[in-house]
Amino acid sequence: MEENKQAFHSGFVAIVGRPNVGKSTFLNYVVGQKVAIMSDVPQTTRNKIQGIYTTDREQIVFIDTPGIHKAHNKLGDFMVQSAISSLNEVDAVMFMVNADQKRGAGDNYIIERLKKIKNRPIYLVINKIDLVHPDELLPIVDSYRDALDWTEVFPISALQGNNINDLLATLSKQMPEGPQYYPSDQVTDHPERFVVSELIREKVLQLTRQEVPHSVAVVIESMKPGKDDLVDISATIIVDRPTQKGIIIGKGGRMLKEIGSRARVDIEHLLGSRVYLELWVKVSEGWRDKQGILQSFGYKKDEY
């Protein structure tokens, strides 16, 4: 007589929160490699990034949404609508906040939208507890306790991994019985070209800081096998203004070379192969407010 096999559970979890609360850091920690870019510049994530956590008992597909914020252009509208729409597509919601920041208007804006969600567990996840003294944590929890009927509250450190296993175990119990949507070794649903473009954009944000804020997009022009087992990648960095182009290229091309050098390390880790990376910089003034250009860069209106 065959032993009863344990039922497999699977489902989808949205991660929402203000910009720069550590959603991407959490996602990368859970799946074990970089699938979402990280930067201390707010509003880094633009598309819904799906990270896939799989064991022999369950599969949880995390949707790392763009930070919900007041939009100032069509790109901002896309980011906010993308985040809000994800709440209607999931089995559970994680509302992530920073332990080292007081509850603010941005948090209240999101909470009001969370109140409209019916019949789904909503978890308050207080991230970056490594940045505060333990005595400071309880007042932070208290400031959110009465804002919503939270299913449970989890203080975590996505950077150090504190309490993440407990959070995963709780989420797993909430997932319904279902199929394994993705192969066990797949950690994101995005194609490699998308992740490669995001890794390049991450290095631009990290190296240029405030000089070139969110007026940057990266388009992969080609990605194909080359000589000597190299992967040849050609990519264009799109900016708003000529001055930004100068900043990204840098004196004697040094900044662009550094961006390419750092990006290549992560891309080679992602692809498991040596990479030849060629970068170009192009000015497309006002691209964030041009619907046609946004769609060509992958920010499609029909996705929200």
Side-chain angles (χ1 to χ4, degrees):
M1 185 175 178
E2 289 188 11
E3 294 183 13
N4 289 330
K5 290 186 69 174
Q6 187 175 9
F8 194 83
H9 291 256
S10 59
F12 295 79
V13 177
I15 313 172
V16 298
R18 283 195 294 172
N20 209 30
V21 295
K23 299 185 295 292
S24 297
T25 306
F26 170 83
L27 189 66
N28 292 336
Y29 182 90
V30 167
V31 304
Q33 70 182 71
K34 183 177 289 185
V35 295
I37 72 173
M38 296 184 293
S39 168
D40 56 6
V41 180
Q43 301 166 25
T44 299
T45 300
R46 287 181 180 161
N47 297 73
K48 289 186 287 188
I49 311 292
Q50 291 191 180
I52 305 160
Y53 170 77
T54 307
T55 73
D56 57 355
R57 299 183 303 276
E58 74 268 312
Q59 184 171 81
I60 305 175
V61 181
F62 290 96
I63 303 173
D64 172 24
T65 64
I68 297 176
H69 61 286
K70 186 175 181 179
H72 298 289
N73 49 49
K74 287 184 179 179
L75 175 59
D77 288 337
F78 170 87
M79 293 164 65
V80 174
Q81 293 298 328
S82 180
I84 292 173
S85 69
S86 68
L87 304 182
N88 298 313
E89 305 166 357
V90 296
D91 299 289
V93 176
M94 289 170 46
F95 174 43
M96 188 174 290
V97 301
N98 271 355
D100 64 337
Q101 292 181 354
K102 291 183 178 180
R103 176 179 163 187
D107 297 305
N108 295 332
Y109 176 86
I110 298 171
I111 289 170
E112 288 305 307
R113 275 139 190 83
L114 293 178
K115 288 179 180 178
K116 299 176 183 179
I117 299 174
K118 305 297 182 184
N119 304 318
R120 289 180 180 86
I122 303 175
Y123 297 91
L124 174 63
V125 178
I126 301 173
N127 190 23
K128 304 186 183 182
I129 60 172
D130 52 299
L131 299 181
V132 300
H133 190 276
D135 292 342
E136 300 175 72
L137 195 54
L138 190 56
I140 296 166
V141 174
D142 286 340
S143 72
Y144 285 94
R145 193 179 301 279
D146 296 330
L148 198 70
D149 186 17
W150 310 107
T151 304
E152 202 163 335
V153 179
F154 283 93
I156 70 164
S157 169
L159 189 63
Q160 298 183 352
N162 297 357
N163 298 335
I164 288 182
N165 287 339
D166 291 340
L167 174 56
L168 288 173
T170 298
L171 290 172
S172 295
K173 293 175 184 176
Q174 290 285 354
M175 296 300 104
E177 287 188 24
Q180 183 170 324
Y181 295 102
Y182 299 96
S184 299
D185 59 351
Q186 187 171 342
V187 296
T188 183
D189 73 324
H190 278 288
E192 287 178 340
R193 290 172 72 103
F194 172 83
V195 180
V196 168
S197 70
E198 287 288 89
L199 292 175
I200 296 169
R201 189 166 68 92
E202 176 186 59
K203 305 313 174 191
V204 173
L205 292 176
Q206 289 177 346
L207 287 167
T208 60
R209 300 283 173 170
Q210 298 302 318
E211 293 94 337
V212 184
H214 294 286
S215 48
V216 175
V218 176
V219 177
I220 304 300
E221 306 291 354
S222 66
M223 184 170 162
K224 57 189 178 183
K227 296 179 180 179
D228 302 321
D229 296 323
L230 284 171
V231 177
D232 286 343
I233 300 173
S234 176
T236 301
I237 300 170
I238 311 292
V239 294
D240 251 347
R241 299 188 296 274
T243 53
Q244 295 168 342
K245 178 178 179 179
I247 292 169
I248 288 179
I249 293 174
K251 188 175 181 180
R254 284 198 289 268
M255 177 61 78
L256 189 61
K257 183 178 180 181
E258 182 66 14
I259 290 168
S261 178
R262 293 193 186 189
R264 190 176 65 250
V265 172
D266 281 353
I267 295 168
E268 288 181 340
H269 180 73
L270 171 74
L271 302 180
S273 175
R274 292 187 303 128
V275 166
Y276 173 74
L277 178 62
E278 188 174 31
L279 295 179
W280 306 87
V281 186
K282 176 183 175 183
V283 178
S284 180
E285 295 187 14
W287 70 264
R288 290 176 295 172
D289 273 317
K290 296 177 181 177
Q291 191 66 48
I293 293 177
L294 287 172
Q295 290 187 9
S296 72
F297 291 168
Y299 308 116
K300 297 182 181 179
K301 192 178 177 87
D302 60 9
E303 291 180 356
Y304 56 83

